[in-house]
Amino acid sequence: MAATVWTDRGRKAVTVLGTVTRSTFTHTALKPQYDALVIGGGHNGLVAAAYLQKGGLQTAVLERRHVLGGAAVSEEIFPGFHFSRCSYLLSLLRPHIYADLELRKHGLKVYMRDPHAFTPMLEEGVRGAPPRSLTLGSDMAMNQREIGKFSQKDAKAFPDFVAHLEKLAEAIHPLLDAPPVDIPGVTAGSLRKRLAAAKTLMPVVKCGLKLGTNIPDFYEIITAPIMKILNRWFESEPLNATLATDAVIGAMTSPSNPGSGYVLLHHVMGELEKEKGAWGYVEGGMGGVSQAIASSARSHGVEIFTEKDVGQVLVGSDGAAKGVVLKDGTEIQSKVVLSNATPHVTFKNLTPQAALAPEFIKAIDQIDYTSPVTKINVAVDKLPNFLASPTPDGKPGPHHQCSIHLNCESVGVLETAYKEAMNGRPSARPMLEMTIPSVLDPTLAPPGCHVVSLFTQFTPYHIEGREWTNQDREAFADTGNTQ
């Protein structure tokens, strides 16, 4: 079993068996000077490089690893089994990037999921019936039948709740593709500069006009605990817990903490194949996204290099970036330097501290990278089966393509898991989001076999005040296996 423990400041602890898939490129030698350099070949860095090159700047990407993708990367951890090592579903890639870079032409293929959520109950069936489960998808009538197993009141309210979320998400779409508001520019400087900066307010104004009387609802969902909102709509624990998972997933927070409402809204902002709020699997794993972007970037002339580890950003006497120095001593000049690394790595590790203002460094130090997630990748020789929805002969059912929520029978289970991690202990019953992408994508595993991703939380960065050991990781993985 390979367990990847994602931690603060982008660090991770990994147990890996087997081999990995290398990215190979045919390109010219690294030049001593470019118009633009991008540090890191993650999917965001590759997108930036493609647009810079399309804009007329000769651009190079410098990736320290042997494989491109950053968080969106596929690797062959076990022979014949290909895993999405970190990110595992696609939705929030903006449609105009998809179109501008012609990603479909460059090999990006997506498998849509419907239904998309399955929550089996850990319970004894009544009068010989199997345990109950909750399945949600695009079919609203089916959703209401499923929810009706637990509450007819909730079944009736669910369509209005979905419409409410979609209305809020649609209103803020103009902000997703707009530059952030230039607050210093608006509040200081000459009149001409203030007027120029005021243009950055227009998307916010459009958002406000579109929200109209829903502005209070929008303010509440981005600031309030998600349970304050869900309890107003619904009464059944399985539905509330299933929805609450999208309000805490990937974040060290609980459904009762302020701000968790925004995380839920964030998950309905995306779009895939023109379907709002949809999430899907990428053929070949999430590395397929990065490979398609890289292919597009190279087609425009971007030079992409792997195993080029940047040691420092060169900063001139005027405070502007002038290039980079690799850890092997190679110096590359550039008019523009972009970093796909975290702000901490970029400004604390790569940039000379004397070139940065103390208040800026302080702001960087205050960024919270805390993550509650342990991602476990598993290769299996047969499809997992569920008592709540058994399938014969190992054949996949509709629920196998879903995000499968385990230990989510009630919000109380999620709250307990969070509190345990905050006290320095891995959750005894962690929240698990299981995905089995090989159900739809046959390229990921040998025939009859499957790859399983377990996105689990909550786990602390330090276990009871000390570093994790390999024994700790294996024990945590075995805990998940016994649920």
Side-chain angles (χ1 to χ4, degrees):
M1 181 175 297
T4 303
V5 181
W6 285 91
T7 62
D8 65 338
R9 292 195 174 136
R11 290 176 288 183
K12 55 186 180 293
V14 187
T15 302
V16 180
L17 301 175
T19 60
V20 297
T21 302
R22 301 179 69 88
S23 296
T24 56
F25 303 100
T26 302
H27 49 57
T28 60
L30 191 61
K31 298 183 179 71
Q33 184 168 352
Y34 291 87
D35 295 325
L37 291 173
V38 178
I39 302 171
H43 62 290
N44 289 320
L46 294 168
V47 167
Y51 277 102
L52 287 168
Q53 188 74 36
K54 281 165 62 74
L57 298 181
Q58 182 57 54
T59 304
V61 175
L62 307 173
E63 167 57 42
R64 75 176 173 83
R65 295 190 69 210
H66 60 278
V67 60
L68 290 175
V73 63
S74 303
E75 295 187 72
E76 188 180 16
I77 302 176
F78 309 104
F81 293 84
H82 300 266
F83 293 87
S84 296
R85 291 298 301 272
C86 184
S87 63
Y88 54 101
L89 288 167
L90 181 65
S91 176
L92 296 168
L93 180 64
R94 301 302 297 149
H96 68 88
I97 295 175
Y98 203 116
D100 290 351
L101 301 188
E102 300 179 294
L103 297 186
R104 190 190 301 273
K105 170 185 170 183
H106 288 279
L108 181 59
K109 181 178 179 179
V110 177
Y111 295 92
M112 303 295 287
R113 309 185 308 160
D114 193 21
H116 58 74
F118 173 63
T119 306
M121 299 293 106
L122 185 63
E123 64 182 13
E124 296 292 335
V126 179
R127 289 191 287 273
R132 294 172 298 171
S133 63
L134 174 64
T135 303
L136 301 175
S138 64
D139 184 337
M140 187 56 72
M142 181 206 77
N143 292 340
Q144 291 182 286
R145 289 194 300 272
E146 288 286 305
I147 297 168
K149 299 175 188 176
F150 306 96
S151 168
Q152 287 298 324
K153 174 179 174 290
D154 290 358
K156 184 177 179 180
F158 190 69
D160 290 338
F161 173 76
V162 172
H164 177 67
L165 282 187
E166 289 177 346
K167 184 187 298 182
L168 298 180
E170 182 66 27
I172 63 173
H173 271 165
L175 300 180
L176 300 181
D177 300 319
V181 175
D182 182 6
I183 295 176
V186 173
T187 58
S190 66
L191 179 60
R192 177 179 293 181
K193 288 184 177 179
R194 290 189 183 193
L195 289 174
K199 294 179 181 178
T200 64
L201 289 168
M202 289 308 299
V204 177
V205 173
K206 290 179 181 178
C207 174
L209 291 173
K210 200 162 188 176
L211 283 168
T213 58
N214 293 119
I215 288 178
D217 294 327
F218 175 70
Y219 177 79
E220 180 181 52
I221 202 168
I222 64 174
T223 59
I226 190 58
M227 290 317 303
K228 179 180 178 182
I229 297 167
L230 292 179
N231 284 334
R232 191 181 304 148
W233 284 89
F234 307 119
E235 62 184 9
S236 61
E237 283 290 329
L239 178 59
N240 274 340
T242 298
L243 296 174
T245 62
D246 275 346
V248 300
I249 193 162
M252 183 61 95
T253 191
S254 83
S256 61
N257 283 357
S260 54
Y262 167 75
V263 184
L264 176 64
L265 182 63
H266 177 84
H267 280 83
V268 300
M269 287 182 192
E271 179 179 326
L272 196 60
E273 301 290 326
K274 298 183 178 180
E275 184 178 331
K276 300 288 186 184
W279 294 72
Y281 297 124
V282 176
E283 184 171 81
M286 289 298 289
V289 178
S290 301
Q291 294 299 331
I293 298 170
S295 175
S296 176
R298 287 196 302 273
S299 74
H300 291 288
V302 175
E303 297 179 18
I304 300 175
F305 300 88
T306 55
E307 298 181 281
K308 299 296 181 185
D309 199 354
V310 173
Q312 188 177 58
V313 175
L314 296 172
V315 179
S317 58
D318 59 353
K322 302 294 185 183
V324 302
V325 178
L326 304 184
K327 286 189 175 178
D328 65 8
T330 303
E331 189 171 307
I332 310 163
Q333 299 294 318
S334 177
K335 301 173 185 175
V336 177
V337 178
L338 277 72
S339 176
N340 194 189
T342 65
H344 179 86
V345 169
T346 301
F347 295 112
K348 297 289 287 185
N349 299 351
L350 300 182
T351 306
Q353 298 300 278
L356 302 172
E359 59 270 21
F360 179 80
I361 295 174
K362 183 178 180 180
I364 294 298
D365 286 335
Q366 291 172 340
I367 298 174
D368 185 1
Y369 293 93
T370 304
S371 169
V373 176
T374 298
K375 189 166 187 288
I376 303 174
N377 298 309
V378 186
V380 296
D381 59 5
K382 62 181 179 180
L383 192 67
N385 211 350
F386 298 90
L387 293 175
S389 187
T391 51
D393 303 322
K395 294 182 179 179
H399 57 288
H400 281 106
Q401 65 187 270
C402 296
S403 291
I404 301 166
H405 304 287
L406 305 176
N407 292 336
C408 297
E409 294 84 12
S410 72
V411 176
V413 175
L414 308 184
E415 293 282 359
T416 299
Y418 167 73
K419 290 174 183 176
E420 288 174 333
M422 290 300 291
N423 287 321
R425 300 188 306 274
S427 306
R429 286 193 67 196
M431 183 186 99
L432 305 179
E433 180 166 298
M434 173 192 285
T435 53
I436 316 172
S438 50
V439 166
L440 296 180
D441 179 4
T443 71
L444 297 176
C449 299
H450 290 277
V451 296
V452 178
S453 166
L454 297 171
F455 197 82
T456 81
Q457 61 188 85
F458 297 82
T459 49
Y461 178 58
H462 289 104
I463 182 169
E464 298 179 332
R466 59 176 173 79
E467 299 289 336
W468 285 67
T469 65
N470 287 335
Q471 185 177 358
D472 292 328
R473 296 187 190 97
E474 294 298 331
F476 181 75
D478 290 340
T479 298
N481 291 339
T482 60
Q483 299 301 317

